[in-house]
Amino acid sequence: MLEKVLIIDDDDLVRRTLQKVLEKEGFSVSSAGSGPEAIDLARELAYDVIVCDVRMRAIKLGVDDYLYKPFEIEELLHSLKRNLDALRLFREKEEMTRKVIEAETRARYAEEIEKKNLELSLLYEVSRSLSTSIYVKEIIQVVDRTFEKILPECSRVIHLAEPREEFRGLLQDFAKNGNPSSGQGVSLCVYERLPEPYSSLSSRFPWERDYPSVLEEVRTLYVPLSVGQQLYGLLEIVPKGDVSDRNALFPLLVTLANQIALALENAVHFEYAFSMATMDGLTGLYNHRLMQELLEKELSRAKRAGESLSLLLVDIDFFKKFNDSYGHQVGDLVLKKVASTIKAGIRDGDLAARYGGEEFAVVLPSTPPAVALEVGERIRKEISAQAGNLGEASGKKPFLVTVSGGVASFPDHALSKVDLIERADSALYHAKGTGRNRIFTFEEEIPRVRKGKGLFQKGGRSLLEKIFDLEVARTLGDLIDARDAHIQGHSVKVAEYAVKVGSRLRLDHDEILALRRAGLLHDIGKIGISESILQKKGPLSPHEKEIVESHPSLSTELLERLGTFGTLIPIIYQHQEHFDGNGYPEGLKGPQIHLGARILAVVDAFVTMVEERPYRPAISLEDALTELSRNAGKQFDPIVVSALKEVLEKEKEGD
C-alpha cells in the first residue's frame, strides 16, 4: 500500500517538482497551494506525511523534521523515509499493544462472563428453590446453601420481622449505634428507605441509596428484606477477610434480598392460608379436621414405636348458660381462656384442638392413662381457679366456669382411632352424668357412647335395679303428662315408639332400655314451665318461647339431682337439636347429636302431630309421615325417619 504524502506550498513550481519526484519514488502525492485547501484535503484523506512550507502556517504542532531551502531532493527523500520508518514502527507497536489489550480484555471479559454466568445460573437455581419453598425454615436453608456457593467469604444472618418487638429492638439498637460517616468499621444499611412503620424509628438510622465509596471501612451490611411497604426482615452480611470485588457485592446482595423477600412473603401468605384451613380462628388451637389427621398419624407412630398414646376430651359445663346469661362475647372469652389454659398445661409435643362448639381435644403422645389423667386434672383445677377472673374481665359479676373430661389410651382402652375417640367420649359423658367438674379415665364399667354419639348404659347394673329405674321413670312420665289432659299417655307413646325404632336399628338390650326410660322422661323439664304457657292456644311470645326452649336444660338439672338417671342426660338434653344444626340448645348437627336424641326427636314429633293439642287438631298418620319426610335431612335424621316408617308399615300389616 502506497504511503500518502500531502505537499503544501504556495509556489506552484515547487509543488509540481516535488510531486513529480515523489510519485516517481512510489508515493501517492496530493498538493495544496493554501492552508484552507490543505485542510479540506486532510479532511477527505488521512495522510502519512505532510511536507509543508513553514511560512504557510498550515500546521503548528507535530513537526518531526525541518529542511532549509534550497535543499537537495536526496535530503527530502531521506527525511521522508526515516520518518515513515518511525511511523511504521510506532504503528506496529500500537497495533501490538492494541492486540495485547484486546486479548487481555477478552480474557477478562471471558472470566467475568463465566463468573456472571455462574452467578446467573446459581441465582436461577436459588429463585427456583425459593419459589418452591413454603416454609421460613426451608427459605433460610436455601439462603445458607446459596451463600456457600456465591459468597463463601461472607457470613450471613437473617433477622425476621416477627416477633415484632424483638425486631424493633434490633432496629433501635442499630439506629442508635450505627454511623456510616464515622469511618471506623461502620454498620451500613443499603436501601433507599425503610417501609413504615420502621422508617420513623430514628432519624439517625444509617441508610444509603448510592453505594458508599469507602467500602473497606464497612464492617457489616444490612439489606432490608421487603416487598412494597411490608418489611419481612434484615439480611445481615459480614465480609470475612478480603472480598474480591466489594463494588460488585452490593447489586448481588440486593438481587438476593429481593428474591428472599418475595419468598418470605409467599411463606407468610402460605402460613396464613394454612392457619385459616387448620386452626380455629377464635381459640388459635388446631381445628377438628386437622386434629383427626394428627391423631391418626400419632396413633400410627405409637403403634410402630410400641408406645402409649392418650386422648383427653374436655367439655365446658353448661356452656349454653354462659351465652344465654352473659352473651356470646363472654362465651367467646370463656372459650379463649379455656383454650389458653389447656395450651399452657401441656407439653410442646402435645396437640390441642377445638373439637366442637365447647369441646376440646388433647392428643398426648407417649403418655399412659394415669399421666393423662393427671394432665386433665391439672387443667380442670386451673380453669376452676381462674373462673372469677373471667367475670371481672368481662365487666360482669364473677361466675363459675368448670369443665368435665374423659381420657382413653392406646393400647389400654382402644386400638383404633374411632374406638379411642368413642371411649374418651364415653368417659367424658360419664363425668358429666355423675356431677360434672371432674375427669374420668375410661373403664369397661362406665357408660359407653355407641352408634354415633348416643350415650347408653352398658352393664354394671342388676336386673332389679333396671326394673326399678324403669318404674320410677314411668311414674315420673305419668306425672308430667297429668299436667295436661290433652296429652295423657304422651310420654308412654314416645317411649314405645322409641323402643320400636331402636329395635329396627338393631340396638342392643341395654340401649333400648335407656331409650325407653329417656322417652318416658324426655319432657321432665316442663315441670318447671307454667301450664298457661304449655296450653296456650295462640303463638308464643319471644319470652315464652325462650322459656319453653329452656326445658332441655331444666331436664338436665332435675336428672342430675335424681342421680340414678345421669346416663340419660345426653339423650334428653339434645332431643330438640335439628339434624341440620338449627335446633337448640347447642346447635349441634348430624352425628354430633346423640343417636338416642335423634330417635327421640323423630318419635316425639310424630306422636305430637297425631295428638290433639289446645292450639290445633290432630293430623292423620299419613300427613304426619309426609311432614317427617319433608323435614328429613333438615330437622330429622333421615335414617331414623325411614326406620319409623318401617315400624308403622309393619304395624299396619299386623292390623
Side-chain angles (χ1 to χ4, degrees), residues 54 79 123 264 416 463 595 615:
V54 72
S79 177
L123 286 173
L264 287 173
S416 69
L463 178 60
L595 178 59
Y615 47 85

Side-chain angles (χ1 to χ4, degrees), residues 29-47:
V29 183
S30 301
S31 63
S34 64
E37 183 183 0
I39 291 173
D40 290 339
L41 289 172
R43 285 173 176 167
E44 296 175 359
L45 188 63
Y47 292 94

Side-chain angles (χ1 to χ4, degrees), residues 491-635:
S491 297
V492 173
K493 292 176 186 175
V494 170
E496 290 176 352
Y497 277 112
V499 167
K500 291 177 181 179
V501 170
S503 299
R504 195 70 185 174
L505 293 174
R506 298 183 183 281
L507 302 185
D508 63 29
H509 175 74
D510 286 334
E511 293 169 340
I512 291 173
L513 179 60
L515 268 179
R516 181 183 294 277
R517 290 186 294 162
L520 292 169
L521 296 174
H522 72 283
D523 279 339
I524 190 172
K526 291 182 179 179
I527 290 176
I529 300 176
S530 169
E531 292 184 10
S532 62
I533 296 177
L534 293 175
Q535 299 180 23
K536 186 176 180 180
K537 295 183 179 181
L540 299 178
S541 68
H543 177 64
E544 291 170 338
K545 185 177 180 182
E546 183 179 348
I547 292 175
V548 171
E549 291 183 354
S550 70
H551 85 270
S553 297
L554 293 174
S555 299
T556 297
E557 293 180 9
L558 289 170
L559 292 173
E560 283 180 341
R561 292 178 184 179
L562 290 171
T564 187
F565 299 112
T567 57
L568 305 181
I569 289 175
I571 307 175
I572 295 173
Y573 181 65
Q574 295 182 6
H575 82 279
Q576 294 293 341
E577 299 285 0
H578 290 185
F579 196 72
D580 61 2
N582 291 318
Y584 65 88
E586 303 291 346
L588 303 178
K589 64 186 298 186
Q592 292 178 332
I593 307 169
H594 298 271
L595 178 59
R598 282 179 269 156
I599 293 172
L600 278 188
V602 173
V603 298
D604 185 29
F606 170 74
V607 173
T608 300
M609 284 189 284
V610 298
E611 289 176 340
E612 183 178 350
R613 293 297 171 98
Y615 47 85
R616 60 151 181 82
I619 66 175
S620 67
L621 185 146
E622 290 75 15
D623 289 342
L625 287 177
T626 300
E627 185 67 15
L628 289 175
S629 299
R630 189 173 63 83
N631 286 282
K634 299 176 184 177
Q635 182 175 351

Side-chain angles (χ1 to χ4, degrees), residues 304-374:
R304 292 194 303 270
E307 296 179 349
S308 296
L309 172 75
S310 292
L311 175 64
L312 168 64
L313 295 182
V314 176
D315 190 271
I316 302 174
D317 297 328
F318 298 113
F319 183 69
K320 178 70 163 51
K321 292 184 178 179
F322 289 110
N323 285 335
D324 292 343
S325 303
Y326 297 96
H328 289 282
Q329 289 185 341
V330 175
D332 288 348
L333 178 64
V334 171
L335 288 170
K336 290 178 184 178
K337 192 62 180 178
V338 170
S340 64
T341 304
I342 291 174
K343 189 68 175 175
I346 60 177
R347 303 165 298 183
D348 289 340
D350 299 332
L351 308 169
R354 186 179 179 189
Y355 192 61
E358 70 275 16
E359 191 171 357
F360 300 86
V362 182
V363 180
L364 301 165
S366 306
T367 305
V371 177
L373 182 62
E374 291 177 4

Side-chain angles (χ1 to χ4, degrees), residues 20 22 30 50 97 120 125 141 243 260 283 299 332 398 400 411 423 432 439 477 539:
K20 181 186 269 189
L22 293 177
S30 301
I50 297 176
T97 301
L120 290 173
E125 293 180 12
Q141 291 174 346
V243 178
I260 296 169
T283 63
L299 186 58
D332 288 348
L400 181 63
R423 293 178 183 186
K432 283 188 166 294
I439 308 292

